[in-house]
Amino acid sequence: MAAVYETYSAQETRTLGEKIGLQAAPGEVYTLTGDLGVGKTVFTQGVAKGLGIDEPVNSPTFTILQVYEEGRMPFYHFDVYRIGDVEEMEEIGYEDCFYGEGVCLIEWAELIGEILPQDCRHITIEKDLQKGFDYRRITIE
């Protein structure tokens, strides 16, 4: 069942991500979809904070995977926007992340749909400029 949240600032979006991080359990995989500039990284920064990670969190667009180990469990932040094919994910060792003791968050996950676990949670962030520049509709399934 989907839950829909509305945020009206980057801070509100970050706070919603933090709530997800606080509730996250080992082995959970979250997909994060939305257009460029919609706030995926802001949301991810909140998730990291909720996991107890204090270091800066940026989108790993050019490295595909960024691992944070200082929180209450490992946090695997994927950005697969630039991935050529699923074999690149195998080279990274994605299975250790997807089925490990940490939490995965995957930006642009629709590009690797065939290797995603069945039970991932899907998060979609959308803008609606008629409701304001900073408005976001965030759907969590």
Side-chain angles (χ1 to χ4, degrees), residues 78 89-90 92-100:
F78 288 86
M89 291 295 289
E90 291 171 6
I92 294 169
Y94 79 91
E95 289 178 328
D96 292 339
C97 301
F98 285 15
Y99 303 104

Side-chain angles (χ1 to χ4, degrees), residues 40-81:
K40 293 185 299 293
T41 300
V42 168
F43 185 88
T44 302
Q45 290 167 341
V47 173
K49 184 175 180 188
L51 289 168
I53 296 165
D54 294 324
E55 67 183 282
V57 172
N58 298 302
S59 191
T61 301
F62 295 100
T63 58
I64 300 175
L65 171 63
Q66 184 68 47
V67 179
Y68 302 91
E69 296 188 11
E70 71 174 47
R72 62 185 172 86
M73 69 184 95
F75 180 45
Y76 306 107
H77 180 201
F78 288 86
D79 182 334
V80 298
Y81 183 73

Side-chain angles (χ1 to χ4, degrees), residues 1-5 122 138-141:
M1 189 165 137
V4 178
Y5 301 90
H122 302 284
I138 302 170
T139 306
I140 303 174
E141 304 179 66

